[in-house]
Amino acid sequence: MSSPVKLSYRETTFNQEVVTRFELYNSLFQTLPFYQVKDTGILLPFFSSHCEKETAANSSPTEIIESFFKKYVPGIDHQEQINRMFRFIQYIERQVVLFDAVEDSSFNKIGRTDDSGSLQSLLQLAAQSDKVRDDISDKLKKFSLRLVLTAHPTQFYPGTVLGIITDLIEALKHNDLNNIDVLLQQLGKTPFFNKTSPTPVDEAASLVWFLENTFYHAISAIQSKLEEEFDIDYANDHQILELGFWPGGDRDGNPNVTTETTVSVASLLRQIIFRCYYRDFRVLKRRITFRGIEKTISRLEKLLYHNAFNNQSNPKDLQSELLSLLNSVKQTLITDHDSLFVNIVDGLLQKVRLFGCYFATLDIRQDSRVLRSVFTYCTQQSQIKSGLAKEYEDLSEEEKLTTIPFNEADFHCDEDADDMTKDTLNTIRLMQQIQYSNGEKACQRFIISNCQRSSDILQLINLFLWSGWKKESLSVDFMPLFETVNDLTHAAQVMESLYVHPFYKEHLKRRDNRQSIMLGFSDSTKDGGYLMANWSIYKAKVELTAMARKYGIDLAFFDGRGGPPARGGGKTHRFYASMGTEIANEHIQLTIQGQTVSSQYGSVETARFNVEQLINAGIVSSLKPNESDLLNKNSKALISEMADESYNLFMALRQHPLFVEYLEKYSPLKLLSKINISSRPTKRNADAQLKLEDLRAISFVTSWSQLKQNIPGFYGVGTSLKKVKDEGKWEEVKQLYQSSGFFKTMLDNCSMSMSKSDFRVTAYLEHDKKFAAFWKMLKAEYDLTKAMLLELTGTEVLMQEYPVERRSIAIRERIVLPLVIIQHYALQCLNKNDHPELNDVYNKLVIRTVYGIVNAGRNLA
């Protein structure tokens, strides 16, 4: 008889604090009589266990649903069966929230049992000697971390639900049974989805909730700790912690964003930060009641209240004035009042320094093809004496670089210009106004998506000069986004031609020789598959770093969702800690979105922990670079060979004649546009027939996750591992996995992605006349990848090294399995078309299940 497996302290804590408490509160939740259907909560456990048992037996979704109602609720008609399914969905959506809340409330006990990677471990390192402390201080003077919130529709709770979740987490921390009971009742009666699609401003408001309720407190707390422990100087205007914001500025990601949207979001960000300041000020006012400060306090109050609660017609940046007033109060307290309550003033001073009048930098993003079209339009207008010949478009890239005039003008486009041209030029002007109202950092980055050549950036700069901006005061950073495998290959050449270009060289000098480059984003994985996307980004980083160092440029990489840190929702900080010296790593910038926002930054505690880990990763990797993270020539050749093999397999899959049809028939792809969690269309060229290249990456990934197949997170990995093993290179791969943080993180994230896959749900397709071979091909690659990963890691189950995370994923998957079954049942009904009069109802069933499955996913592949 084998002895029981001994659980670690963290696993035991997870079982006690999360699993047991979830089961307890879930049983309480299921007794609540919602929606006049008292037996739904009683039936749901039977339905869940029935789905588990029958899925294990490879029954089809139709067989599972029909056998359930025949066994447990015989005698009800089909319409009533559908009604019951809708009730199940309502309960399960809330079970997901309950599990999240229980897990988040236990974070302090589970997430922090190991302080490695936290700020605390950095302080312990600093305590070793004055020299180490000085070294860390020096690193912090150059290091920066920027988290950029984006509005990708992978989780979208309404603000009302977010508020309940926050209160529920707090009640669960103290096991406040009465309050938990009331909040669960409120949760049961509060709608989880919008009746209409949110506008881009609605999406911005939803994310601003996190800025106001978590980031404002977490970022300032970390800043305080850093100031307390290390020598940090404000004089050089270097900011360690920065926030970015895409909703309202990202036109490429969302064609529904307009100049008016950008105005509204910039105004919202300004107003909300003033409300945060005003709340803090009220605490300050209650304490500082001394003589000699009354006028200053009164002026502060008027400024803060007026800007927090009254609409401003033409506001100006007040950061300097606020700092001056607060410093005046501080000085009086020090001089006349024994420094009493100086700490309260210091707290508000620090926040005003951190967030100014803008809260988070609003990035503008547009596709290079749109920008080229606008440039062509402008060159044809007589008001701009561009000096460009009409055949400019026919010039070679080298000729264009010497021809672009960089002449200043104050051009306004004609009424006959198309909406995209008007919006682009109006937005360029608006950036100047936002900088005046909210501060320079409020809107100073323009990201060029699908950037393919240097002229894409230089032509955009000329658009700025034709829109009232002056060369000497062009306070904007122009940031290329290289995303396809081909663009990543040529990225270093593009940047070199910019670094040596006379005008751009001067512009960079005025911007302190700092260049940010965005890499990856979602389309990289859709374009080249998992391994190739990761490897192409890595190679591009090495080449771009070498190029920047050659020309003395301070380089920052901005990692999009498609980059290595986020694939599979894995350990982002491990990725950054594993950067070798070949890759610039003094600045960490990354997008956070969807479930990542709520799962990693949904509470002040989790936000602090995850931000601290990123700071630690950046500082320690530059302080003590791990030599094994510097890939040698053989390792690079090995990964490159695997990436090529994986790429070929992924491209063959993409070109398979059944690829798009399979997604359309067996995933909710066609219905995603009807789901009111996003203001953006699911594909570009909305009116055209669906083509893979037009499909937005987020829709692509979401569709595979709903299928429980997560193809973008693993496909091709198994085949590439097998190839190098068959060639006798298996020991090299094993050694690489043990020594290289980059390679290990990449494969561990792949394992996490696979842990969220379940091919049993679609096993019925094994016998489908049309799709059997296609399904078997996907399943075979999944099985091969799993087998190869287990052999490589020497483990028996995926994610064995991360048992708590594995258990968390397994529980979430079990909670939503009934939703997955209901969704696939409804899709089967739609595909059969036996009841065309019910197609609208089946569509609604599919749509409603998507919410819960996505929300439970927390970091989809």
Side-chain angles (χ1 to χ4, degrees), residues 514-527:
R514 289 179 183 166
Q515 175 69 56
S516 293
I517 298 173
M518 189 170 183
L519 296 176
F521 220 55
S522 306
D523 280 314
S524 297
T525 307
K526 183 184 143 214
D527 177 61

Side-chain angles (χ1 to χ4, degrees), residues 90-295:
Q90 289 170 333
Y91 264 81
I92 295 165
E93 284 175 330
R94 287 154 180 82
Q95 283 181 318
V96 170
V97 169
L98 178 60
F99 185 77
D100 282 351
V102 172
E103 194 169 48
D104 289 347
S105 73
S106 310
F107 178 78
N108 221 19
K109 295 175 181 172
I110 299 157
R112 307 199 73 140
T113 51
D114 176 12
D115 263 330
S116 65
S118 69
L119 202 53
Q120 188 57 40
S121 67
L122 199 62
L123 298 179
Q124 287 166 0
L125 193 64
Q128 290 176 7
S129 70
D130 288 342
K131 184 184 181 308
V132 175
R133 184 175 294 277
D134 290 344
D135 286 346
I136 294 174
S137 292
D138 287 342
K139 294 292 179 190
L140 284 167
K141 284 170 187 169
K142 296 173 189 167
F143 175 79
S144 67
L145 168 65
R146 179 185 294 259
L147 299 175
V148 181
L149 279 72
T150 72
H152 290 281
T154 52
Q155 185 180 64
F156 209 84
Y157 287 127
T160 48
V161 175
L162 288 172
I164 298 169
I165 292 171
T166 302
D167 294 341
L168 186 57
I169 290 170
E170 203 53 40
L172 285 162
K173 278 182 192 172
H174 305 102
N175 288 318
D176 181 351
L177 201 56
N178 289 335
N179 207 5
I180 293 166
D181 186 32
V182 171
L183 288 166
L184 289 177
Q185 289 185 56
Q186 185 186 359
L187 194 67
K189 292 178 178 292
T190 303
F192 264 46
F193 58 96
N194 309 295
K195 293 209 167 172
T196 56
S197 289
T199 66
V201 177
D202 293 333
E203 289 180 333
S206 181
L207 276 180
V208 167
W209 189 94
F210 290 98
L211 286 179
E212 182 181 5
N213 290 284
T214 67
F215 286 101
Y216 180 73
H217 304 289
I219 296 287
S220 55
I222 294 170
Q223 181 74 22
S224 293
K225 195 70 179 165
L226 290 172
E227 287 175 22
E228 192 182 307
E229 297 289 341
F230 302 104
D231 176 26
I232 294 173
D233 180 20
Y234 296 110
N236 65 3
D237 196 34
H238 172 65
Q239 199 164 320
I240 298 171
L241 301 167
E242 302 168 316
L243 294 171
F245 204 74
W246 273 24
D250 178 16
R251 282 142 173 79
D252 180 42
N254 190 343
N256 296 320
V257 169
T258 62
T259 313
E260 292 71 31
T261 306
T262 308
V263 170
S264 297
V265 173
S267 175
L268 174 68
L269 286 165
R270 188 180 193 278
Q271 188 172 41
I272 295 298
I273 192 57
F274 270 95
R275 286 187 186 174
C276 290
Y277 294 156
Y278 183 71
R279 277 199 295 270
D280 283 358
F281 170 79
R282 289 177 67 184
V283 176
L284 181 149
K285 187 186 173 188
R286 287 182 67 169
R287 292 289 164 267
I288 299 173
T289 50
F290 317 134
R291 292 187 187 281
I293 310 180
E294 299 94 337
K295 282 188 181 176

Side-chain angles (χ1 to χ4, degrees), residues 756-783:
K756 298 172 183 177
S757 300
D758 188 351
F759 275 80
R760 300 174 308 167
V761 171
T762 48
Y764 66 97
L765 290 173
E766 189 175 1
H767 309 293
D768 188 87
K769 287 179 185 173
K770 186 171 187 178
F771 292 97
F774 184 80
W775 182 88
K776 285 176 185 173
M777 181 176 72
L778 301 179
K779 175 70 161 54
E781 182 61 19
Y782 172 85
D783 290 340

Side-chain angles (χ1 to χ4, degrees), residues 15-16 41 124-125 194 320 354 394 452 528 530 594 620 649 716 827 856:
N15 288 338
Q16 291 169 349
Q124 287 166 0
L125 193 64
N194 309 295
S320 295
L354 275 172
D394 300 324
Q452 296 174 328
Y530 181 74
V620 172
L649 193 75
L827 286 168

Side-chain angles (χ1 to χ4, degrees), residues 285-440:
K285 187 186 173 188
R286 287 182 67 169
R287 292 289 164 267
I288 299 173
T289 50
F290 317 134
R291 292 187 187 281
I293 310 180
E294 299 94 337
K295 282 188 181 176
T296 313
I297 291 287
S298 177
R299 173 66 182 153
L300 258 174
E301 182 165 28
K302 279 179 185 167
L303 270 183
L304 294 175
Y305 184 87
H306 186 58
N307 285 276
F309 299 105
N310 299 331
N311 287 328
Q312 310 296 302
S313 56
N314 188 29
K316 66 174 186 175
D317 177 23
L318 298 171
Q319 186 181 28
S320 295
E321 186 174 356
L322 292 174
L323 290 172
S324 175
L325 289 166
L326 285 165
N327 274 314
S328 170
V329 173
K330 178 178 176 178
Q331 203 52 52
T332 306
L333 291 178
I334 293 169
T335 308
D336 301 338
H337 301 289
D338 303 318
S339 298
L340 194 57
F341 300 129
V342 157
N343 60 320
I344 298 177
V345 182
D346 276 339
L348 189 50
L349 261 170
Q350 177 223 76
K351 286 167 180 165
V352 175
R353 277 194 296 260
L354 275 172
F355 306 116
C357 297
Y358 60 93
F359 213 155
T361 299
L362 184 59
D363 288 347
I364 306 297
R365 181 169 77 121
Q366 185 54 282
D367 190 281
S368 63
R369 289 161 289 195
V370 172
L371 298 173
R372 285 175 211 152
S373 165
V374 176
F375 185 78
T376 301
Y377 170 85
C378 289
T379 58
Q380 294 164 354
Q381 305 309 303
S382 58
Q383 305 102 298
I384 299 179
K385 297 182 175 54
S386 66
L388 290 175
K390 288 193 174 175
E391 62 273 12
Y392 172 80
E393 287 301 313
D394 300 324
L395 296 176
S396 68
E397 174 69 1
E398 290 71 23
E399 289 169 325
K400 282 181 180 178
L401 298 189
T402 57
T403 307
I404 296 169
F406 301 106
N407 54 336
E408 294 171 356
D410 195 12
F411 166 69
H412 291 265
C413 57
D414 298 331
E415 282 303 310
D416 65 344
D418 63 46
D419 290 342
M420 197 72 84
T421 300
K422 287 178 185 171
D423 177 74
T424 302
L425 295 173
N426 288 338
T427 300
I428 287 171
R429 287 181 177 279
L430 175 63
M431 288 177 73
Q432 207 162 19
Q433 177 59 44
I434 293 173
Q435 289 194 4
Y436 171 82
S437 299
N438 297 15
E440 184 183 310

Side-chain angles (χ1 to χ4, degrees), residues 451-452 482-491 493 527 536 647:
C451 188
Q452 296 174 328
F482 302 109
E483 29 192 344
T484 67
V485 172
N486 187 52
D487 291 347
L488 288 163
T489 305
H490 297 107
Q493 296 162 246
D527 177 61
S536 297
Y647 177 73

